[in-house]
Amino acid sequence: MSLDAHLVVRRPAFDLDLALTAAPGEVVALLGPNGAGKTTALRALAGLAPLSAGFVRLDGTDVRALPTELRPIGMVFQDYLLFPHLSAVDNVAFGLRCHGARKGAARDQARDWLSRVGLSGCEAKRPGELSGGQAQRVALARALAVRPRLLLLDEPLAALDAHTRLEVRSQLRGHLADFGGVAVLVTHDPLDAMVLADRLVVIESGRSVQEGPPAQVARHPRTDFVARLVGLNLYRGFASGHTVALDPGITLDAAESLDGPVFLTFPPAAVALFRSRPDGTPRNLWRTRISMIERHGDRIRVHLDDPLAVAADVTAAAVAELGLIEDSQVWAAVKATETHAYPA
Amino acid sequence: MSLDAHLVVRRPAFDLDLALTAAPGEVVALLGPNGAGKTTALRALAGLAPLSAGFVRLDGTDVRALPTELRPIGMVFQDYLLFPHLSAVDNVAFGLRCHGARKGAARDQARDWLSRVGLSGCEAKRPGELSGGQAQRVALARALAVRPRLLLLDEPLAALDAHTRLEVRSQLRGHLADFGGVAVLVTHDPLDAMVLADRLVVIESGRSVQEGPPAQVARHPRTDFVARLVGLNLYRGFASGHTVALDPGITLDAAESLDGPVFLTFPPAAVALFRSRPDGTPRNLWRTRISMIERHGDRIRVHLDDPLAVAADVTAAAVAELGLIEDSQVWAAVKATETHAYPA
Amino acid sequence: GSTATKGTPAPGRTLTVFAAASLTESFKALGRTFEAAHPGVKVTFNFGASSALAQQITQGAPADVFAAASPATMKTVTDAGDATAPKTFVKNRLEIAVPPANPGKIVALKDLANAKLKVVLCAPQVPCGAAAIKALGAAGLKVTPVSQEQDVKAALTKVELGEADAALVYRTDVKSAGDKVKGIDFPESLKAINAYPIAVLAKAPQAALAQEFTQLVTSAPGQQVLQQAGFEAP
Amino acid sequence: MKTISASPRGRVPWVLLVPALLGLAFLVLPLAGLLIRTPWPTMGTRLAQPEVRDALGLSLFTATLATLVCMVCGVPLAWLLARVSFPGLRLVRALVTVPLVLPPVVGGVALLLVLGRRGLVGRWLDSAFGITLPFTTAGVVLAEAFVAMPFLVISVEGALRAADLRYEEAAATLGASRWTVFRRVTLPLVAPGIVAGGILCWARALGEFGATITFAGNFPGRTQTMPLAVYLALETDPQAAIVLSVVLLAVSVAVLAGLRDRWIS
Amino acid sequence: MKTISASPRGRVPWVLLVPALLGLAFLVLPLAGLLIRTPWPTMGTRLAQPEVRDALGLSLFTATLATLVCMVCGVPLAWLLARVSFPGLRLVRALVTVPLVLPPVVGGVALLLVLGRRGLVGRWLDSAFGITLPFTTAGVVLAEAFVAMPFLVISVEGALRAADLRYEEAAATLGASRWTVFRRVTLPLVAPGIVAGGILCWARALGEFGATITFAGNFPGRTQTMPLAVYLALETDPQAAIVLSVVLLAVSVAVLAGLRDRWIS
Ligand SMILES: Nc1ncnc2c1ncn2[C@@H]1O[C@H](COP(=O)(O)OP(=O)(O)OP(=O)(O)O)[C@@H](O)[C@H]1O
Ligand SMILES: Nc1ncnc2c1ncn2[C@@H]1O[C@H](COP(=O)(O)OP(=O)(O)OP(=O)(O)O)[C@@H](O)[C@H]1O
Ligand SMILES: [Mg+2]
Ligand SMILES: [Mg+2]
């Protein structure tokens, strides 16, 4: 099963226009900010949102005219949508029965699926009696049970506790590896995306802004959204050799030598802060202002804003030593070896 | 506002029995596996789930007999429960109007709250026209807008994209810091819990299994759930001085000197693996079996099972060099300085 | 217009007449005559099934005159003490009603005994049914109807629509149906004549006018109007 | 550019379409039968008769008023049955269906027994306030409301039972009293059920005959509604009865077709 | 140990309770009036009369059968109106209410015009199959179904409109055809609405008088249902009519109280 789709969905205040392809067996993760159109894209693939234009080809055949129930799909909804009048096991058996299984056989298989997602014992519960995480696992089992050739997963792990999440994730990975179909996965967790997906598609405002293998996307973000997702500072600039001129009039040195428009990234941990201008001549050095200081667990993130918006991670000791406070002026330095440029 | 509650909710297949207290201004995070009873506890606090026994005291007054609408609460539901017939702004204004605000004033305030959660522009949308993350932010704004003195948050950030999540989290933190009430927060994200909460309460099967400040819980996990949550290997044992005898008949040396029943932890990264018995005499050394190897992003996790279930993190290079494969035998060593014991 | 009339008292006096539905046309005409003769007086009618009207009267309805379609219903009113001394003002006689084409080829009462025909009669509880039983009994006939109708109009409707081949109904009804049914007179009908009694009610708000109205009904001009509709003199 | 529908919602299955069309034919064909028999040429003159217009106006007025009365009392009653548990609930719920089963004429008699001048309550209303209800337009409204209210109550109760209670819980956490929850959450959520109930109620009131003629009598301009006029016309001139029925139908279908879609969307 | 209710759902607000109780009193008091007037001592002998038992049995039988007919045709029709959009939908939806507004006697006439011996369809039924419907028990069922079906259709349509469509979407992604979705998702989700509609339908059929007597006539044991018996008893013996009504009521209330809670829970 291969997927080749061009999804155009027009709404009064929102337009989706997305080309999406996947080779057999490939897992594609859709990433993007809230409201970017990820759910809309899945619904369009499923035939639940009418296409304003475009096509959905599965193995070369356009299924645009096919009603949802005839598409070889399985879908996990963001809010599960378990049938409230059926028990967990009957929810899972539902699809199997629609695909022709006998009642007994369907239930046996359904029980099997439930135990695979760690829910033996919850078979007889109604959705109203399940916890959020349990409901999400039932929804996952229900979608997987029909052995779809195109699997559409809308944040399938969001409600799971950290441990179950690991387990279900690795099961899901095994499952996705086994099956020859295509999986399209929406997630907000970069780790989920990295672990599960062969390819990331980043959507913003209904348009694809970056695509590629997870590692490459993580190394070479092309939008602020991706940069923040993978925890990098990202800037657009113009390179001449190792020197990159950024928009606010600052020049930084990068490890790579390039010419023309480039992106430039460095991790927050690569930023060093100084109360006064340090000695020596680190070339990537500028005077700036602290706009906000945040404590994240055991590390401290300092946001700098003027002239360049930069996130810097420093130790608590450094904050105390340098007496860093919001709205004060500091010097920031980045080693050229940690600064990474690539063509824009 | 201080909270002192003993929540007992009996259901056919599930019992919640939880004592919960919070000082004014405190933020308590409830953590626990799916189905542990977190949502049930919040519902009991809100008066939505009938208490089988126990009490809920706010500032010393038992509100058990008070109907939900008279309790000074705000609640974010796991599945948002936005009123489908009201626009986003009217959803937020709803509670304000119930608390006596005029229509115009309530709407103005509601618009304000929506912009604080980054949803200016979505005011007129109905819940059916919001994306999952947008809906969750509206739900959060709706609960915060009534300025409750007991704030109940059921995974309020689960559907947010990574960036928005950071932002809303830091806003929420600011908000929680401002207000003198108590917040009870359910979350599956350890980072959320660490950043937002003053105290963690870990629930398993309806019972509190561990409580304390985030850092302490993270350092001294007392159940497997917590250990996995914070990424540590955890064992129960019996200490005589630095030596701890674990259940499967293995003895490990710990950094601390204790006597009696103890917990022993070490991080996966502290485990070294060897193909053959290493030279020298590292005391914490044993022969074991690899049960599974997993790639998590750029690090590799090796699961060892016999005689002790251990997670070890190694580099890709090490895996290749040592030719680690599943089901093979290796030697595992842990430095005593990284092994941490504390009374059980 | 409906709200305006609600509860608005008539400019002058109002005479309220409760009358059997079968009297609708003739009584409306008489009412106009009465109003012409009594300026300032308005006659309002409440037409309905005699039995329902009797119920209303015994429950205290503010009526002046009651004209029933059978002595039996009038009796329930007099028994309750709501009226005294009813007078019979017209009589009505049965006829056989058949569709214009007369598919059952009926010419006399005995033809109704043919089991192949669909005959409808009125239910024994209502006056025309009681009369039919009397007539058939007098003729010594046993007729099994397909239906015992609630009232004479229902029986007539069945014939009009061709559902029934024949029905025993009143002459007045055959007459009002025009050319949609054909009436067949039969001699036995003389044995089963139904009388219409009229009475001034005991608590009549307009007792004097009520008395005059009943006089109009029994007077020669009144009888002429009624006989035009097919009724017979008492 | 024209929208290409990308989500053709499968075929309408035969097993639903066939009975649905059968049902529709069953409901609509008799109407066709009536229309064929209607003496159209006389239609104009009939409509011009002030009595007909009075009756039609009175019918619309009383049916609408009766529906309002039913809404005001019936929706809270449905809510009570669906949301509050009290002893005897089952019995009360069954009792609400009584006026549905009662032959309307008997219903009228029962109303007379209670609200008539000599009735249980009516006696007192008469002596204390000088109010008599039978044979007045108010009596028509009451008779219609009595017969039509169960339709509203039962269908609204059904809608309330099918509604998701959790929205009401959410409203309670926001400080909404039960009344506010009812008004601002429950009512809008079950609006389609209430519209359906209101339509049933209005239509039933509009077509009501037996209880009205028994309780309120048959006085033109005051209590003679269209069904009563039809009944009298049947006595004297069946054609006229058909014409009047068709007029009643046309008006009610027009009202429903006009209003309902506005309510629904 | 006794459960302590920790979630007292506020007080029942007066503004709901008062109209609800008023409505309830309004519906139930006339019944009380009837019961007071009922000549209880004669009850036993009445009930022993075979005619009464025949009429009661026939009523229950035909009303139940009519409800089944209405369910089979009416639920799909309601689904069609709520879920499929086609040209003329608004008109069809309004037309469905026709039998509701039609005075029942006229409804009976309309049925005769279509299904009678000389009716549009009846003529053909007669000549082709030798089936005549008037004056038969089948005719009673048809007349009752005609009058009662709109109640079912409209209240079920209301319930369908209030249902959350997304469950149906979820079922479609699992490969369920529209028919399967209807049967296994839609129907169970709107069950309370269907039960409510069924009750309305059954009760209306049970109390049906005008269309039945006009279309099917009145023959004891074959087409004489309780309302017909009641009406005729009113002519001669109002007391007897009240007794019969009370019997009809008691039976229907018992049936509803017994069955409904089983369906609902
Ligand atoms: N039925 C609808 N009608 C109109 N607009 C809609 C509808 N559903 C969604 N939208 C809008 O379309 C945009 C995309 O929504 P979508 O649900 O696809 O986002 P998403 O990427 O899934 O976001 P999230 O991560 O928050 O779930 C949003 O701006 C949303 O407000
Ligand atoms: N209405 C109910 N009736 C019966 N059992 C229920 C009901 N609601 C929840 N349960 C059960 O009670 C237990 C606790 O549920 P709860 O929703 O409190 O879990 P939770 O901690 O919120 O889990 P999650 O993280 O998955 O949301 C679960 O085992 C669940 O199946
Ligand atoms: Mg989404
Ligand atoms: Mg939960």
Side-chain angles (χ1 to χ4, degrees):
Chain A
M1 169 79 34
S2 71
L3 170 70
D4 176 13
H6 181 200
L7 309 171
V8 180
V9 178
R10 294 202 187 91
R11 292 215 184 100
F14 172 81
D15 260 21
L16 177 77
D17 187 341
L18 182 71
L20 203 62
T21 57
E26 202 174 14
V27 179
V28 178
L30 294 185
L31 275 94
N34 291 133
K38 306 179 293 298
T39 300
T40 306
L42 291 194
R43 288 175 57 84
L45 286 174
L48 294 174
L51 284 190
S52 310
F55 52 82
V56 176
R57 293 204 191 103
L58 295 176
D59 277 342
T61 3
D62 193 348
V63 298
R64 196 179 52 192
L66 229 51
T68 302
E69 63 265 28
L70 296 182
R71 302 189 183 188
I73 55 169
M75 186 157 179
V76 174
F77 291 86
Q78 200 163 0
D79 41 4
Y80 332 142
L81 295 182
L82 297 182
F83 304 124
H85 58 287
L86 296 181
S87 66
V89 68
D90 285 336
N91 260 283
V92 179
F94 184 96
L96 293 166
R97 300 214 53 207
C98 290
H99 285 80
R102 291 274 173 74
K103 188 162 191 163
R107 286 205 162 192
D108 288 347
Q109 277 193 58
R111 250 185 285 274
D112 221 63
W113 278 104
L114 282 179
S115 78
R116 274 191 239 181
V117 295
L119 285 184
S120 334
C122 286
E123 282 95 350
K125 287 196 181 175
R126 294 283 173 93
E129 306 168 350
L130 292 171
S131 77
Q134 290 164 343
Q136 190 161 57
R137 282 185 270 165
V138 175
L140 188 62
R142 184 174 74 168
L144 292 176
V146 297
R147 305 196 169 274
R149 292 187 297 146
L150 173 59
L151 190 57
L152 306 168
L153 307 167
D154 204 346
E155 309 197 24
L157 310 174
L160 304 191
D161 67 71
H163 174 57
T164 309
R165 187 176 185 122
L166 276 181
E167 259 182 21
V168 173
R169 182 162 66 200
S170 80
Q171 270 177 20
L172 188 60
R173 197 164 48 113
H175 197 79
L176 294 179
D178 284 358
F179 105 128
V182 168
V184 182
L185 169 82
V186 171
T187 177
H188 286 311
D189 185 340
L191 193 59
D192 282 349
M194 302 287 171
V195 170
L196 290 173
D198 301 309
R199 196 150 50 83
L200 305 189
V201 175
V202 182
I203 314 185
E204 287 181 41
S205 310
R207 301 287 185 283
S208 161
V209 293
Q210 186 167 5
E211 286 195 40
Q216 193 215 310
V217 172
R219 265 200 308 274
H220 292 163
R222 302 183 79 83
T223 73
D224 283 343
F225 172 77
V226 184
R228 273 189 301 242
L229 198 69
V230 297
L232 290 174
N233 289 299
L234 174 74
Y235 309 94
R236 226 171 221 286
F238 197 91
S240 330
H242 284 282
T243 309
V244 180
L246 304 186
D247 279 349
I250 281 193
T251 22
L252 294 181
D253 273 15
E256 292 81 3
S257 169
L258 288 165
D259 278 298
V262 292
F263 285 112
L264 182 91
T265 65
F266 51 88
V271 183
L273 299 182
F274 306 92
R275 199 100 205 89
S276 54
R277 193 187 168 98
D279 293 339
T281 51
R283 274 164 309 177
N284 294 338
L285 179 71
W286 68 99
R287 192 173 160 77
T288 182
R289 199 181 71 97
I290 296 180
S291 62
M292 195 168 61
I293 302 182
E294 276 184 324
R295 207 178 155 279
H296 277 172
D298 50 0
R299 75 210 155 88
I300 297 199
R301 170 152 294 185
V302 179
H303 293 273
L304 311 169
D305 63 353
D306 187 33
L308 202 61
V310 172
D313 281 353
V314 296
T315 59
V319 172
E321 224 166 82
L322 298 174
L324 299 182
I325 50 167
E326 289 178 0
D327 254 352
S328 62
Q329 296 282 328
V330 290
W331 287 88
V334 186
K335 274 206 284 185
T337 49
E338 306 215 40
T339 310
H340 198 55
Y342 45 94
Chain B
M1 168 83 29
S2 71
L3 170 71
D4 177 14
H6 182 197
L7 308 171
V8 180
V9 179
R10 293 202 189 90
R11 294 220 184 98
F14 172 81
D15 260 22
L16 176 77
D17 187 340
L18 183 70
L20 204 61
T21 57
E26 201 174 18
V27 179
V28 179
L30 294 185
L31 274 93
N34 291 135
K38 305 178 296 295
T39 299
T40 307
L42 291 194
R43 288 176 57 85
L45 287 174
L48 294 174
L51 284 190
S52 310
F55 53 83
V56 176
R57 293 205 191 101
L58 294 177
D59 276 342
T61 0
D62 193 349
V63 298
R64 196 179 52 193
L66 230 52
T68 302
E69 62 266 28
L70 297 181
R71 303 189 183 189
I73 55 170
M75 186 158 179
V76 174
F77 292 86
Q78 200 163 4
D79 40 4
Y80 331 141
L81 294 181
L82 298 182
F83 304 125
H85 58 289
L86 297 181
S87 65
V89 70
D90 285 336
N91 261 282
V92 179
F94 184 94
L96 294 165
R97 300 216 53 203
C98 290
H99 285 79
R102 291 276 172 74
K103 189 161 189 163
R107 285 204 164 193
D108 287 348
Q109 278 194 57
R111 251 185 285 273
D112 222 61
W113 278 105
L114 281 180
S115 79
R116 276 192 236 182
V117 295
L119 285 184
S120 334
C122 286
E123 283 95 351
K125 287 194 180 176
R126 294 283 173 92
E129 304 168 351
L130 291 172
S131 78
Q134 290 164 342
Q136 190 159 59
R137 282 183 269 164
V138 175
L140 189 61
R142 184 175 72 169
L144 292 175
V146 296
R147 304 197 170 276
R149 292 186 298 143
L150 173 59
L151 189 58
L152 307 167
L153 307 167
D154 203 349
E155 310 197 23
L157 310 175
L160 305 191
D161 67 72
H163 174 58
T164 310
R165 187 174 186 125
L166 276 180
E167 260 183 20
V168 174
R169 182 161 67 201
S170 80
Q171 270 177 20
L172 189 60
R173 196 164 49 112
H175 197 81
L176 294 179
D178 284 357
F179 104 129
V182 169
V184 182
L185 169 83
V186 170
T187 176
H188 286 311
D189 185 339
L191 194 58
D192 282 348
M194 303 287 172
V195 170
L196 291 172
D198 302 309
R199 197 151 48 82
L200 303 190
V201 176
V202 182
I203 314 184
E204 287 181 39
S205 309
R207 301 287 185 285
S208 160
V209 293
Q210 186 166 5
E211 286 194 40
Q216 193 213 310
V217 171
R219 264 199 309 275
H220 293 164
R222 301 183 78 83
T223 72
D224 282 345
F225 172 77
V226 184
R228 271 188 302 241
L229 198 66
V230 297
L232 289 175
N233 289 299
L234 174 74
Y235 309 94
R236 229 170 219 286
F238 197 89
S240 328
H242 284 283
T243 309
V244 180
L246 302 187
D247 279 349
I250 281 191
T251 22
L252 293 182
D253 274 13
E256 292 81 4
S257 170
L258 289 164
D259 279 299
V262 291
F263 284 112
L264 182 91
T265 65
F266 52 86
V271 183
L273 298 182
F274 305 93
R275 199 100 206 88
S276 53
R277 191 186 170 97
D279 292 339
T281 51
R283 274 165 308 179
N284 293 339
L285 180 70
W286 68 98
R287 195 175 157 73
T288 182
R289 201 180 70 95
I290 296 179
S291 64
M292 194 166 62
I293 302 181
E294 274 183 325
R295 210 179 154 278
H296 276 172
D298 50 0
R299 75 210 155 88
I300 297 199
R301 172 153 291 185
V302 179
H303 293 273
L304 311 168
D305 64 354
D306 188 29
L308 201 63
V310 172
D313 280 354
V314 296
T315 58
V319 171
E321 225 166 79
L322 297 173
L324 299 182
I325 50 166
E326 290 178 1
D327 253 352
S328 62
Q329 296 283 327
V330 289
W331 287 87
V334 186
K335 273 207 285 185
T337 49
E338 306 216 41
T339 310
H340 197 54
Y342 45 94
Chain C
S2 55
T3 40
T5 53
K6 180 193 168 189
T8 324
R13 293 171 295 170
T14 300
L15 177 72
T16 308
V17 177
F18 281 32
S22 49
L23 295 167
T24 306
E25 283 195 319
S26 352
F27 265 43
K28 273 187 182 167
L30 289 174
R32 281 190 291 274
T33 314
F34 192 80
E35 281 173 358
H38 297 80
V41 171
K42 183 164 168 24
V43 185
T44 59
F45 290 104
N46 180 20
F47 294 112
S50 300
S51 53
L53 299 176
Q55 278 283 338
Q56 292 171 356
I57 289 165
T58 53
Q59 285 304 316
D64 296 302
V65 178
F66 179 36
S70 77
T73 32
M74 181 59 87
K75 189 166 179 300
T76 60
V77 174
T78 49
D79 284 355
D82 286 314
T84 44
K87 245 190 304 209
T88 299
F89 65 100
V90 281
K91 284 183 173 166
N92 211 348
R93 196 138 71 96
L94 290 183
E95 268 190 0
I96 302 170
V98 295
N102 195 359
K105 313 232 162 24
I106 291 156
V107 291
L109 189 63
K110 67 172 176 10
D111 297 338
L112 299 188
N114 182 350
K116 289 205 191 92
L117 291 183
K118 288 197 169 167
V119 177
V120 298
L121 300 178
C122 291
Q125 292 92 334
V126 297
C128 70
I133 286 173
K134 254 193 250 169
L136 291 168
L141 285 171
K142 187 171 156 24
V143 171
T144 313
V146 287
S147 172
Q148 303 175 338
E149 295 292 327
Q150 98 221 47
D151 58 30
V152 67
K153 286 297 167 191
L156 195 66
T157 303
K158 300 287 193 301
V159 175
E160 280 178 26
L161 293 175
E163 289 308 323
D165 299 314
L168 280 184
V169 302
Y170 289 122
R171 270 199 20 207
T172 50
D173 301 306
V174 173
K175 193 146 182 174
S176 75
D179 56 4
K180 285 206 262 356
V181 298
K182 207 169 93 181
I184 299 170
D185 211 350
F186 59 97
E188 296 87 342
S189 65
L190 288 172
K191 302 254 168 51
I193 284 179
N194 187 34
Y196 280 58
I198 190 167
V200 175
L201 294 173
K203 300 209 180 74
Q206 302 288 347
L209 283 177
Q211 204 58 53
E212 286 182 52
F213 187 79
T214 51
Q215 275 159 16
L216 170 66
V217 169
T218 47
S219 70
Q223 287 292 310
Q224 196 192 340
V225 170
L226 286 160
Q227 280 163 24
Q228 259 165 20
F231 289 106
E232 294 176 7
Chain D
M1 196 195 126
K2 231 183 78 197
T3 297
I4 307 168
S5 170
S7 70
R9 296 290 338 262
R11 281 271 176 71
V12 176
W14 286 111
V15 30
L16 287 176
L17 192 62
V18 169
L21 291 183
L22 251 175
L24 187 63
F26 179 46
L27 291 180
V28 171
L29 264 186
L31 179 68
L34 271 193
L35 292 182
I36 289 173
R37 284 295 181 105
T38 306
W40 294 104
T42 68
M43 200 71 164
T45 57
R46 297 266 177 220
L47 281 181
Q49 286 172 4
E51 285 182 15
V52 171
R53 276 191 281 121
D54 274 3
L56 189 60
L58 187 70
S59 276
L60 294 177
F61 172 73
T62 54
T64 306
L65 211 61
T67 306
L68 284 180
V69 169
C70 290
M71 287 272 180
V72 168
C73 293
V75 174
L77 182 54
W79 176 84
L80 202 72
L81 293 179
R83 288 286 187 274
V84 181
S85 72
F86 52 89
L89 173 62
R90 283 175 59 168
L91 184 67
V92 169
R93 190 181 285 137
L95 281 181
V96 164
T97 56
V98 162
L100 228 71
V101 183
L102 209 60
V105 174
V106 178
V109 171
L111 280 175
L112 275 177
L113 291 176
V114 172
L115 296 172
R117 268 220 296 205
R118 304 195 188 158
L120 293 176
V121 178
R123 198 177 319 169
W124 170 78
L125 279 180
D126 193 4
S127 62
F129 305 99
I131 298 175
T132 51
L133 292 169
F135 312 114
T136 63
T137 305
V140 177
V141 173
L142 281 185
E144 290 180 349
F146 176 70
V147 171
M149 183 139 66
F151 295 101
L152 186 87
V153 175
I154 293 173
S155 64
V156 172
E157 195 205 334
L160 284 171
R161 286 189 175 279
D164 192 340
L165 285 179
R166 296 180 316 146
Y167 292 108
E168 303 188 3
E169 293 184 350
T173 68
L174 291 166
S177 64
R178 285 189 100 163
W179 165 237
T180 310
V181 172
F182 171 79
R183 199 167 43 91
R184 297 210 46 215
V185 178
T186 314
L187 273 193
L189 283 181
V190 300
I194 291 179
V195 169
I199 286 168
L200 289 176
C201 186
W202 187 77
R204 180 70 185 83
L206 200 65
E208 162 49 30
F209 166 72
T212 310
I213 198 169
T214 309
F215 182 63
N218 179 18
F219 294 99
R222 184 152 42 118
T223 68
Q224 189 179 73
T225 57
M226 280 299 269
L228 272 56
V230 168
Y231 165 80
L232 272 194
L234 267 178
E235 286 291 327
T236 53
D237 181 359
Q239 296 284 3
I242 292 184
V243 173
L244 291 184
S245 303
V246 168
V247 169
L248 182 60
L249 282 188
V251 171
S252 65
V253 165
V255 168
L256 291 179
L259 279 187
R260 196 167 167 208
D261 292 69
R262 199 164 308 162
W263 293 334
I264 280 176
S265 58
Chain E
M1 197 195 123
K2 231 184 79 198
T3 298
I4 307 168
S5 171
S7 70
R9 294 293 335 264
R11 280 270 176 71
V12 176
W14 286 112
V15 32
L16 287 177
L17 192 62
V18 168
L21 291 183
L22 250 176
L24 188 61
F26 179 48
L27 291 180
V28 172
L29 263 186
L31 179 68
L34 273 191
L35 291 182
I36 290 173
R37 285 296 181 103
T38 306
W40 293 104
T42 66
M43 200 72 163
T45 55
R46 297 266 180 218
L47 282 181
Q49 288 171 2
E51 284 181 15
V52 171
R53 277 191 280 121
D54 274 4
L56 188 60
L58 187 70
S59 276
L60 293 177
F61 172 73
T62 52
T64 308
L65 212 61
T67 306
L68 283 182
V69 169
C70 290
M71 288 272 182
V72 168
C73 295
V75 175
L77 183 53
W79 177 85
L80 202 69
L81 293 179
R83 289 284 187 275
V84 181
S85 72
F86 52 89
L89 173 61
R90 287 175 57 169
L91 183 68
V92 169
R93 192 182 284 140
L95 281 180
V96 164
T97 57
V98 162
L100 229 70
V101 183
L102 211 58
V105 174
V106 178
V109 171
L111 278 176
L112 281 177
L113 290 177
V114 171
L115 295 172
R117 235 185 357 172
R118 310 238 179 112
L120 293 176
V121 178
R123 197 177 318 170
W124 170 76
L125 279 181
D126 193 5
S127 62
F129 305 99
I131 298 175
T132 52
L133 294 168
F135 311 120
T136 62
T137 306
V140 176
V141 173
L142 280 186
E144 291 180 348
F146 176 69
V147 171
M149 183 138 64
F151 295 101
L152 185 87
V153 174
I154 292 173
S155 64
V156 171
E157 196 205 333
L160 284 172
R161 283 186 180 280
D164 191 341
L165 284 179
R166 296 180 317 145
Y167 293 108
E168 303 188 3
E169 292 184 349
T173 67
L174 292 165
S177 65
R178 286 190 99 163
W179 164 239
T180 309
V181 172
F182 171 79
R183 198 167 44 89
R184 297 209 47 216
V185 177
T186 314
L187 273 194
L189 284 180
V190 301
I194 291 180
V195 169
I199 286 167
L200 289 176
C201 185
W202 187 76
R204 181 70 187 84
L206 200 64
E208 162 48 29
F209 166 71
T212 309
I213 199 164
T214 308
F215 182 62
N218 169 41
F219 196 82
R222 193 169 39 174
T223 67
Q224 188 179 70
T225 57
M226 280 299 269
L228 273 54
V230 168
Y231 180 84
L232 289 174
L234 262 181
E235 289 290 325
T236 50
D237 181 0
Q239 296 284 3
I242 291 182
V243 172
L244 291 184
S245 303
V246 168
V247 168
L248 181 60
L249 284 188
V251 170
S252 64
V253 165
V255 169
L256 290 180
L259 279 187
R260 199 169 164 208
D261 292 71
R262 199 166 305 163
W263 293 334
I264 279 175
S265 58

